Amino acid sequence: MRATKWDYLVFPFLAALLIGVFYASLRLVGFFGLGVLGLIIGFIAVRMDLERDGASSDPSALAEQFKARERMSRAERAEFQAAQSFRLKPLFIAQVVAAGFVIFGFGFHFLL
């Protein structure tokens, strides 16, 4: 994951926004609520990560997707993997934020 010029420009604003959200949620729901909020965000992010190949309760539909990917050319497969990794980048950030909320929220709730 190589950082671009845009990432360096946006990072201070996103960091300030994250600190603001952390402070506002802390004032609103307290440490325990912050931990629960982290669990909710983490559950949603992990669920989306598990269903990145397609959410289907029918195993034959998922098998058809994998067969279709096997029939792709190398260029199509590379394009698909690049698009999928681009879509999963914010999901990783959500998982890190959720882990931070859980650690800080429940950690300080039980510590204090």
Side-chain angles (χ1 to χ4, degrees), residues 81-106:
Q81 288 175 350
Q84 194 171 30
S85 67
F86 181 74
R87 286 190 310 263
L88 293 178
K89 187 176 180 181
L91 196 59
F92 175 72
I93 293 170
Q95 289 173 345
V96 170
V97 168
F101 276 15
V102 168
I103 291 169
F104 283 123
F106 289 133

PDB file of all heavy atoms in Angstrom, residues 81-106:
ATOM      1  N   GLN A  81      -8.741  -8.355  -9.111  1.00  0.00           N
ATOM      2  CA  GLN A  81      -8.048  -8.337  -7.826  1.00  0.00           C
ATOM      3  C   GLN A  81      -7.673  -6.920  -7.409  1.00  0.00           C
ATOM      4  O   GLN A  81      -7.737  -6.574  -6.231  1.00  0.00           O
ATOM      5  CB  GLN A  81      -6.812  -9.221  -7.887  1.00  0.00           C
ATOM      6  CG  GLN A  81      -7.142 -10.695  -7.918  1.00  0.00           C
ATOM      7  CD  GLN A  81      -5.917 -11.570  -8.099  1.00  0.00           C
ATOM      8  OE1 GLN A  81      -4.824 -11.077  -8.384  1.00  0.00           O
ATOM      9  NE2 GLN A  81      -6.094 -12.872  -7.945  1.00  0.00           N
ATOM     10  N   ALA A  82      -7.296  -6.067  -8.373  1.00  0.00           N
ATOM     11  CA  ALA A  82      -6.964  -4.678  -8.052  1.00  0.00           C
ATOM     12  C   ALA A  82      -8.200  -3.926  -7.577  1.00  0.00           C
ATOM     13  O   ALA A  82      -8.144  -3.159  -6.608  1.00  0.00           O
ATOM     14  CB  ALA A  82      -6.362  -3.990  -9.269  1.00  0.00           C
ATOM     15  N   ALA A  83      -9.315  -4.153  -8.248  1.00  0.00           N
ATOM     16  CA  ALA A  83     -10.561  -3.498  -7.835  1.00  0.00           C
ATOM     17  C   ALA A  83     -11.001  -3.984  -6.465  1.00  0.00           C
ATOM     18  O   ALA A  83     -11.474  -3.195  -5.642  1.00  0.00           O
ATOM     19  CB  ALA A  83     -11.649  -3.756  -8.869  1.00  0.00           C
ATOM     20  N   GLN A  84     -10.847  -5.274  -6.211  1.00  0.00           N
ATOM     21  CA  GLN A  84     -11.250  -5.814  -4.919  1.00  0.00           C
ATOM     22  C   GLN A  84     -10.348  -5.293  -3.804  1.00  0.00           C
ATOM     23  O   GLN A  84     -10.834  -4.948  -2.726  1.00  0.00           O
ATOM     24  CB  GLN A  84     -11.232  -7.335  -4.953  1.00  0.00           C
ATOM     25  CG  GLN A  84     -11.936  -7.962  -3.790  1.00  0.00           C
ATOM     26  CD  GLN A  84     -12.096  -9.446  -3.951  1.00  0.00           C
ATOM     27  OE1 GLN A  84     -11.267 -10.086  -4.588  1.00  0.00           O
ATOM     28  NE2 GLN A  84     -13.145 -10.001  -3.383  1.00  0.00           N
ATOM     29  N   SER A  85      -9.055  -5.182  -4.033  1.00  0.00           N
ATOM     30  CA  SER A  85      -8.173  -4.652  -2.996  1.00  0.00           C
ATOM     31  C   SER A  85      -8.442  -3.170  -2.752  1.00  0.00           C
ATOM     32  O   SER A  85      -8.316  -2.690  -1.626  1.00  0.00           O
ATOM     33  CB  SER A  85      -6.711  -4.887  -3.366  1.00  0.00           C
ATOM     34  OG  SER A  85      -6.366  -4.116  -4.493  1.00  0.00           O
ATOM     35  N   PHE A  86      -8.843  -2.443  -3.805  1.00  0.00           N
ATOM     36  CA  PHE A  86      -9.197  -1.032  -3.640  1.00  0.00           C
ATOM     37  C   PHE A  86     -10.466  -0.892  -2.798  1.00  0.00           C
ATOM     38  O   PHE A  86     -10.575   0.006  -1.969  1.00  0.00           O
ATOM     39  CB  PHE A  86      -9.396  -0.388  -5.022  1.00  0.00           C
ATOM     40  CG  PHE A  86      -9.744   1.069  -4.957  1.00  0.00           C
ATOM     41  CD1 PHE A  86      -8.794   2.009  -4.627  1.00  0.00           C
ATOM     42  CD2 PHE A  86     -11.040   1.486  -5.224  1.00  0.00           C
ATOM     43  CE1 PHE A  86      -9.119   3.353  -4.560  1.00  0.00           C
ATOM     44  CE2 PHE A  86     -11.370   2.821  -5.164  1.00  0.00           C
ATOM     45  CZ  PHE A  86     -10.404   3.755  -4.833  1.00  0.00           C
ATOM     46  N   ARG A  87     -11.416  -1.798  -2.990  1.00  0.00           N
ATOM     47  CA  ARG A  87     -12.649  -1.762  -2.212  1.00  0.00           C
ATOM     48  C   ARG A  87     -12.422  -2.190  -0.762  1.00  0.00           C
ATOM     49  O   ARG A  87     -13.153  -1.766   0.134  1.00  0.00           O
ATOM     50  CB  ARG A  87     -13.702  -2.674  -2.836  1.00  0.00           C
ATOM     51  CG  ARG A  87     -14.327  -2.140  -4.081  1.00  0.00           C
ATOM     52  CD  ARG A  87     -15.520  -2.976  -4.486  1.00  0.00           C
ATOM     53  NE  ARG A  87     -15.251  -4.408  -4.525  1.00  0.00           N
ATOM     54  CZ  ARG A  87     -14.942  -5.079  -5.632  1.00  0.00           C
ATOM     55  NH1 ARG A  87     -14.853  -4.451  -6.769  1.00  0.00           N
ATOM     56  NH2 ARG A  87     -14.724  -6.376  -5.584  1.00  0.00           N
ATOM     57  N   LEU A  88     -11.456  -3.028  -0.513  1.00  0.00           N
ATOM     58  CA  LEU A  88     -11.229  -3.544   0.834  1.00  0.00           C
ATOM     59  C   LEU A  88     -10.348  -2.636   1.693  1.00  0.00           C
ATOM     60  O   LEU A  88     -10.244  -2.853   2.899  1.00  0.00           O
ATOM     61  CB  LEU A  88     -10.612  -4.936   0.768  1.00  0.00           C
ATOM     62  CG  LEU A  88     -11.521  -6.027   0.209  1.00  0.00           C
ATOM     63  CD1 LEU A  88     -10.786  -7.341   0.162  1.00  0.00           C
ATOM     64  CD2 LEU A  88     -12.784  -6.159   1.025  1.00  0.00           C
ATOM     65  N   LYS A  89      -9.713  -1.623   1.111  1.00  0.00           N
ATOM     66  CA  LYS A  89      -8.853  -0.723   1.876  1.00  0.00           C
ATOM     67  C   LYS A  89      -9.631   0.020   2.969  1.00  0.00           C
ATOM     68  O   LYS A  89      -9.208   0.034   4.121  1.00  0.00           O
ATOM     69  CB  LYS A  89      -8.153   0.248   0.935  1.00  0.00           C
ATOM     70  CG  LYS A  89      -7.121   1.108   1.595  1.00  0.00           C
ATOM     71  CD  LYS A  89      -6.398   1.976   0.567  1.00  0.00           C
ATOM     72  CE  LYS A  89      -5.352   2.835   1.216  1.00  0.00           C
ATOM     73  NZ  LYS A  89      -4.682   3.689   0.241  1.00  0.00           N
ATOM     74  N   PRO A  90     -10.784   0.620   2.672  1.00  0.00           N
ATOM     75  CA  PRO A  90     -11.545   1.263   3.757  1.00  0.00           C
ATOM     76  C   PRO A  90     -12.063   0.272   4.795  1.00  0.00           C
ATOM     77  O   PRO A  90     -12.226   0.617   5.963  1.00  0.00           O
ATOM     78  CB  PRO A  90     -12.721   1.934   3.040  1.00  0.00           C
ATOM     79  CG  PRO A  90     -12.328   2.032   1.628  1.00  0.00           C
ATOM     80  CD  PRO A  90     -11.374   0.916   1.376  1.00  0.00           C
ATOM     81  N   LEU A  91     -12.283  -0.949   4.375  1.00  0.00           N
ATOM     82  CA  LEU A  91     -12.747  -1.973   5.297  1.00  0.00           C
ATOM     83  C   LEU A  91     -11.675  -2.292   6.335  1.00  0.00           C
ATOM     84  O   LEU A  91     -11.975  -2.479   7.515  1.00  0.00           O
ATOM     85  CB  LEU A  91     -13.127  -3.226   4.516  1.00  0.00           C
ATOM     86  CG  LEU A  91     -13.955  -4.266   5.216  1.00  0.00           C
ATOM     87  CD1 LEU A  91     -15.266  -3.662   5.677  1.00  0.00           C
ATOM     88  CD2 LEU A  91     -14.213  -5.415   4.277  1.00  0.00           C
ATOM     89  N   PHE A  92     -10.425  -2.331   5.910  1.00  0.00           N
ATOM     90  CA  PHE A  92      -9.320  -2.557   6.842  1.00  0.00           C
ATOM     91  C   PHE A  92      -9.226  -1.400   7.838  1.00  0.00           C
ATOM     92  O   PHE A  92      -9.005  -1.619   9.040  1.00  0.00           O
ATOM     93  CB  PHE A  92      -8.002  -2.707   6.077  1.00  0.00           C
ATOM     94  CG  PHE A  92      -6.800  -2.820   6.962  1.00  0.00           C
ATOM     95  CD1 PHE A  92      -6.575  -3.965   7.692  1.00  0.00           C
ATOM     96  CD2 PHE A  92      -5.911  -1.765   7.087  1.00  0.00           C
ATOM     97  CE1 PHE A  92      -5.472  -4.074   8.518  1.00  0.00           C
ATOM     98  CE2 PHE A  92      -4.815  -1.854   7.908  1.00  0.00           C
ATOM     99  CZ  PHE A  92      -4.591  -3.012   8.634  1.00  0.00           C
ATOM    100  N   ILE A  93      -9.415  -0.188   7.372  1.00  0.00           N
ATOM    101  CA  ILE A  93      -9.375   0.976   8.256  1.00  0.00           C
ATOM    102  C   ILE A  93     -10.505   0.887   9.282  1.00  0.00           C
ATOM    103  O   ILE A  93     -10.314   1.191  10.463  1.00  0.00           O
ATOM    104  CB  ILE A  93      -9.440   2.275   7.435  1.00  0.00           C
ATOM    105  CG1 ILE A  93      -8.163   2.416   6.599  1.00  0.00           C
ATOM    106  CG2 ILE A  93      -9.616   3.493   8.326  1.00  0.00           C
ATOM    107  CD1 ILE A  93      -8.202   3.514   5.575  1.00  0.00           C
ATOM    108  N   ALA A  94     -11.689   0.459   8.849  1.00  0.00           N
ATOM    109  CA  ALA A  94     -12.819   0.303   9.771  1.00  0.00           C
ATOM    110  C   ALA A  94     -12.513  -0.758  10.823  1.00  0.00           C
ATOM    111  O   ALA A  94     -12.881  -0.600  11.995  1.00  0.00           O
ATOM    112  CB  ALA A  94     -14.080  -0.058   8.994  1.00  0.00           C
ATOM    113  N   GLN A  95     -11.834  -1.827  10.434  1.00  0.00           N
ATOM    114  CA  GLN A  95     -11.483  -2.863  11.400  1.00  0.00           C
ATOM    115  C   GLN A  95     -10.477  -2.348  12.426  1.00  0.00           C
ATOM    116  O   GLN A  95     -10.573  -2.667  13.616  1.00  0.00           O
ATOM    117  CB  GLN A  95     -10.924  -4.083  10.682  1.00  0.00           C
ATOM    118  CG  GLN A  95     -11.964  -4.852   9.914  1.00  0.00           C
ATOM    119  CD  GLN A  95     -11.365  -5.968   9.076  1.00  0.00           C
ATOM    120  OE1 GLN A  95     -10.157  -6.011   8.850  1.00  0.00           O
ATOM    121  NE2 GLN A  95     -12.210  -6.872   8.615  1.00  0.00           N
ATOM    122  N   VAL A  96      -9.525  -1.542  11.991  1.00  0.00           N
ATOM    123  CA  VAL A  96      -8.537  -0.975  12.914  1.00  0.00           C
ATOM    124  C   VAL A  96      -9.212  -0.004  13.878  1.00  0.00           C
ATOM    125  O   VAL A  96      -8.942  -0.014  15.090  1.00  0.00           O
ATOM    126  CB  VAL A  96      -7.394  -0.298  12.131  1.00  0.00           C
ATOM    127  CG1 VAL A  96      -6.501   0.509  13.045  1.00  0.00           C
ATOM    128  CG2 VAL A  96      -6.581  -1.339  11.381  1.00  0.00           C
ATOM    129  N   VAL A  97     -10.107   0.848  13.360  1.00  0.00           N
ATOM    130  CA  VAL A  97     -10.824   1.794  14.212  1.00  0.00           C
ATOM    131  C   VAL A  97     -11.695   1.030  15.218  1.00  0.00           C
ATOM    132  O   VAL A  97     -11.746   1.387  16.401  1.00  0.00           O
ATOM    133  CB  VAL A  97     -11.671   2.758  13.354  1.00  0.00           C
ATOM    134  CG1 VAL A  97     -12.646   3.549  14.194  1.00  0.00           C
ATOM    135  CG2 VAL A  97     -10.763   3.693  12.581  1.00  0.00           C
ATOM    136  N   ALA A  98     -12.358  -0.010  14.771  1.00  0.00           N
ATOM    137  CA  ALA A  98     -13.197  -0.808  15.671  1.00  0.00           C
ATOM    138  C   ALA A  98     -12.355  -1.447  16.768  1.00  0.00           C
ATOM    139  O   ALA A  98     -12.763  -1.457  17.943  1.00  0.00           O
ATOM    140  CB  ALA A  98     -13.940  -1.874  14.881  1.00  0.00           C
ATOM    141  N   ALA A  99     -11.205  -1.979  16.407  1.00  0.00           N
ATOM    142  CA  ALA A  99     -10.327  -2.585  17.414  1.00  0.00           C
ATOM    143  C   ALA A  99      -9.871  -1.538  18.426  1.00  0.00           C
ATOM    144  O   ALA A  99      -9.821  -1.806  19.638  1.00  0.00           O
ATOM    145  CB  ALA A  99      -9.128  -3.242  16.746  1.00  0.00           C
ATOM    146  N   GLY A 100      -9.550  -0.342  17.948  1.00  0.00           N
ATOM    147  CA  GLY A 100      -9.153   0.736  18.851  1.00  0.00           C
ATOM    148  C   GLY A 100     -10.275   1.129  19.799  1.00  0.00           C
ATOM    149  O   GLY A 100     -10.052   1.324  20.997  1.00  0.00           O
ATOM    150  N   PHE A 101     -11.504   1.240  19.276  1.00  0.00           N
ATOM    151  CA  PHE A 101     -12.645   1.580  20.126  1.00  0.00           C
ATOM    152  C   PHE A 101     -12.887   0.504  21.181  1.00  0.00           C
ATOM    153  O   PHE A 101     -13.164   0.812  22.333  1.00  0.00           O
ATOM    154  CB  PHE A 101     -13.899   1.760  19.276  1.00  0.00           C
ATOM    155  CG  PHE A 101     -14.050   3.121  18.657  1.00  0.00           C
ATOM    156  CD1 PHE A 101     -12.996   4.010  18.593  1.00  0.00           C
ATOM    157  CD2 PHE A 101     -15.254   3.506  18.124  1.00  0.00           C
ATOM    158  CE1 PHE A 101     -13.131   5.252  18.011  1.00  0.00           C
ATOM    159  CE2 PHE A 101     -15.413   4.751  17.542  1.00  0.00           C
ATOM    160  CZ  PHE A 101     -14.345   5.624  17.494  1.00  0.00           C
ATOM    161  N   VAL A 102     -12.769  -0.749  20.790  1.00  0.00           N
ATOM    162  CA  VAL A 102     -12.985  -1.837  21.742  1.00  0.00           C
ATOM    163  C   VAL A 102     -11.910  -1.823  22.825  1.00  0.00           C
ATOM    164  O   VAL A 102     -12.211  -1.930  24.022  1.00  0.00           O
ATOM    165  CB  VAL A 102     -13.017  -3.200  21.019  1.00  0.00           C
ATOM    166  CG1 VAL A 102     -12.942  -4.342  22.002  1.00  0.00           C
ATOM    167  CG2 VAL A 102     -14.271  -3.314  20.176  1.00  0.00           C
ATOM    168  N   ILE A 103     -10.673  -1.673  22.437  1.00  0.00           N
ATOM    169  CA  ILE A 103      -9.568  -1.686  23.404  1.00  0.00           C
ATOM    170  C   ILE A 103      -9.666  -0.504  24.360  1.00  0.00           C
ATOM    171  O   ILE A 103      -9.596  -0.656  25.585  1.00  0.00           O
ATOM    172  CB  ILE A 103      -8.214  -1.713  22.682  1.00  0.00           C
ATOM    173  CG1 ILE A 103      -8.021  -3.065  21.996  1.00  0.00           C
ATOM    174  CG2 ILE A 103      -7.075  -1.427  23.649  1.00  0.00           C
ATOM    175  CD1 ILE A 103      -6.856  -3.110  21.042  1.00  0.00           C
ATOM    176  N   PHE A 104      -9.841   0.705  23.797  1.00  0.00           N
ATOM    177  CA  PHE A 104      -9.931   1.886  24.666  1.00  0.00           C
ATOM    178  C   PHE A 104     -11.209   1.866  25.500  1.00  0.00           C
ATOM    179  O   PHE A 104     -11.177   2.155  26.691  1.00  0.00           O
ATOM    180  CB  PHE A 104      -9.885   3.177  23.836  1.00  0.00           C
ATOM    181  CG  PHE A 104      -8.518   3.541  23.368  1.00  0.00           C
ATOM    182  CD1 PHE A 104      -8.257   3.700  22.032  1.00  0.00           C
ATOM    183  CD2 PHE A 104      -7.489   3.741  24.271  1.00  0.00           C
ATOM    184  CE1 PHE A 104      -7.001   4.028  21.587  1.00  0.00           C
ATOM    185  CE2 PHE A 104      -6.226   4.074  23.848  1.00  0.00           C
ATOM    186  CZ  PHE A 104      -5.980   4.222  22.491  1.00  0.00           C
ATOM    187  N   GLY A 105     -12.318   1.531  24.876  1.00  0.00           N
ATOM    188  CA  GLY A 105     -13.595   1.582  25.583  1.00  0.00           C
ATOM    189  C   GLY A 105     -13.673   0.606  26.732  1.00  0.00           C
ATOM    190  O   GLY A 105     -13.905   0.991  27.883  1.00  0.00           O
ATOM    191  N   PHE A 106     -13.496  -0.679  26.443  1.00  0.00           N
ATOM    192  CA  PHE A 106     -13.593  -1.678  27.513  1.00  0.00           C
ATOM    193  C   PHE A 106     -12.392  -1.623  28.440  1.00  0.00           C
ATOM    194  O   PHE A 106     -12.525  -1.874  29.640  1.00  0.00           O
ATOM    195  CB  PHE A 106     -13.753  -3.074  26.924  1.00  0.00           C
ATOM    196  CG  PHE A 106     -15.096  -3.308  26.300  1.00  0.00           C
ATOM    197  CD1 PHE A 106     -15.197  -3.895  25.054  1.00  0.00           C
ATOM    198  CD2 PHE A 106     -16.255  -2.936  26.938  1.00  0.00           C
ATOM    199  CE1 PHE A 106     -16.423  -4.123  24.470  1.00  0.00           C
ATOM    200  CE2 PHE A 106     -17.494  -3.152  26.374  1.00  0.00           C
ATOM    201  CZ  PHE A 106     -17.585  -3.743  25.130  1.00  0.00           C
TER     202      PHE A 106
END
